[in-house]
Amino acid sequence: MDLVLNFKSLLRFEKRYGQMANGSLCVTRTLQHELAQNWGIRLNRYLCHPLGVRDCVTARIGADDQNETLFTTQVGTDILLKPNRPALVVSSTSWAPDEDFGILLEAAVMYDRRAAALLDENDSADEGVLWKEISGGKQYLYPRLFFIITGKSPEKEKYEEKIKRLNLKRVAFHTMWLSAEEYPLLLRSADLGICLHTSSSTLDLPMKVVDMFGCGLPVCAVSYSCIDQLVKVEKNGLLFSSSSELADELLVSALYLTKTIDALKSLKNGALETVSSARWAAEWEEHAKPLISEVL
């Protein structure tokens, strides 16, 4: 009898306080329907995790228009990129000592401030006004930057806390972990990749750049002794040695995006050509096979 009473009390508790929650996670759509119909718990269609209370990207996510996303809009049967969409920038990191993530954070702050200065905006202006204008369709010469950072490490939480304190208006960071099937889809959809790998030995090359090139994604990479053997400036990407240089490259790339200048498209084509001209089989035939044949 006590067990039955405790179970009923638990149901009443969950139903009462479930209705007061800001959001809920459901393992199935059936459960979502049950909570909405019989428990009075209304669930948001979209769930996002900004690194902060709110940012220039999540201010738009969750809108009711089913024909729009943050990046696209549906016109008839066509899906079109929105002219005022943010630039999608991807960086894959292990959050390890040989990848100074602080460089990217400093560059993001510089982009935020420099874009405001170039647009003659008051840096202390209410960010809510900016979000309202963007939601209304206003297009800026220098767009918002939406950084998606993938990877796992104990150091990740430390940097997430730093991001929350940056107070960025035109830049948003979201972190996530993607499956092997999802990761190339993200790369294929992005506008620019960022590589912070410097190699502890300075003698090897980052395979993450090869992944990005394979998806036609141009890369801004930290410059070190041998990276130029992979990243060719103004052919398949750009190199930087400081956060200030990276901020400048982000400004240029963002300008390419809004002006639809062929330079960004040329870099994308160069990225694809890099991997298509250096397939494993071709490299084996040209370099490895002749050497091995000599000793057989």
Side-chain angles (χ1 to χ4, degrees), residues 4-289:
V4 173
L5 290 175
N6 287 337
F7 180 69
K8 289 183 177 179
S9 297
L10 181 60
L11 285 178
R12 287 195 296 269
F13 180 87
E14 290 187 351
K15 187 172 183 178
R16 175 178 176 79
Y17 290 99
Q19 295 173 355
M20 300 168 64
N22 291 33
S24 302
L25 293 174
C26 300
V27 295
T28 65
R29 292 189 179 91
T30 304
L31 176 58
Q32 181 184 27
H33 179 77
E34 169 68 18
L35 292 177
Q37 293 297 313
N38 300 323
W39 291 56
I41 298 176
R42 299 297 173 182
L43 308 176
N44 291 333
R45 175 178 172 83
Y46 302 97
L47 184 65
C48 51
H49 299 280
L51 293 178
V53 177
R54 203 177 185 212
D55 60 35
C56 65
V57 170
T58 56
R60 174 63 184 82
I61 295 177
D64 294 330
D65 191 343
Q66 301 301 307
N67 293 322
E68 286 193 12
T69 70
L70 182 63
F71 297 91
T72 63
T73 184
Q74 182 173 354
V75 180
T77 58
D78 296 325
I79 304 295
L80 306 174
L81 287 172
K82 297 170 71 171
N84 70 333
R85 71 178 179 88
L88 180 56
V89 186
V90 176
S91 183
S92 173
T93 180
S94 60
W95 311 90
D98 63 352
E99 295 186 359
D100 185 358
F101 196 74
I103 291 178
L104 180 56
L105 298 189
E106 292 172 3
V109 172
M110 291 177 185
Y111 177 93
D112 205 60
R113 306 296 184 263
R114 291 176 186 178
L118 289 168
L119 295 171
D120 197 26
E121 292 179 347
N122 184 353
D123 193 43
S124 62
D126 181 11
E127 57 195 24
V129 175
L130 172 65
W131 296 340
K132 186 176 181 180
E133 290 177 346
I134 291 172
S135 296
K138 184 173 181 179
Q139 185 175 2
Y140 290 89
L141 184 62
Y142 295 97
R144 297 159 290 164
L145 299 184
F146 184 16
F147 285 93
I148 293 183
I149 313 299
T150 69
K152 288 182 178 180
S153 169
E155 292 289 300
K156 175 182 174 182
E157 293 183 2
K158 180 184 76 174
Y159 282 108
E160 286 179 333
E161 288 302 316
K162 287 184 177 181
I163 293 170
K164 291 177 182 178
R165 298 192 294 268
L166 293 180
N167 191 30
L168 300 169
K169 296 180 181 179
R170 295 186 169 277
V171 180
F173 282 87
H174 288 224
T175 59
M176 62 178 60
W177 174 258
L178 298 174
S179 69
E181 293 78 21
E182 294 169 326
Y183 183 58
L185 296 178
L186 173 63
L187 297 184
R188 193 71 182 91
S189 303
D191 297 297
L192 188 67
I194 303 291
C195 177
L196 301 170
H197 177 83
T198 54
S199 171
S200 56
S201 68
T202 70
L203 300 174
D204 63 357
L205 295 171
M207 288 300 99
K208 66 185 70 180
V209 173
V210 178
D211 292 337
M212 292 176 179
F213 285 169
C215 294
L217 183 62
V219 176
C220 285
V222 174
S223 181
Y224 65 96
S225 60
C226 61
I227 188 65
D228 58 358
Q229 296 177 35
L230 182 61
V231 179
K232 308 294 184 182
V233 175
E234 296 186 357
K235 179 180 180 182
N236 55 22
L238 299 168
L239 298 175
F240 60 90
S241 299
S242 66
S243 54
S244 181
E245 287 183 8
L246 176 56
D248 287 340
E249 291 173 2
L250 290 172
L251 284 166
V252 171
S253 299
L255 186 62
Y256 287 165
L257 183 66
T258 56
K259 291 291 188 179
T260 62
I261 297 175
D262 288 339
L264 192 58
K265 183 178 179 180
S266 177
L267 289 178
K268 285 179 174 287
N269 291 337
L272 280 174
E273 290 172 4
T274 299
V275 292
S276 63
S277 62
R279 297 294 185 186
W280 188 91
E283 293 294 294
W284 168 268
E285 290 291 334
E286 182 178 354
H287 301 290
K289 187 177 178 180

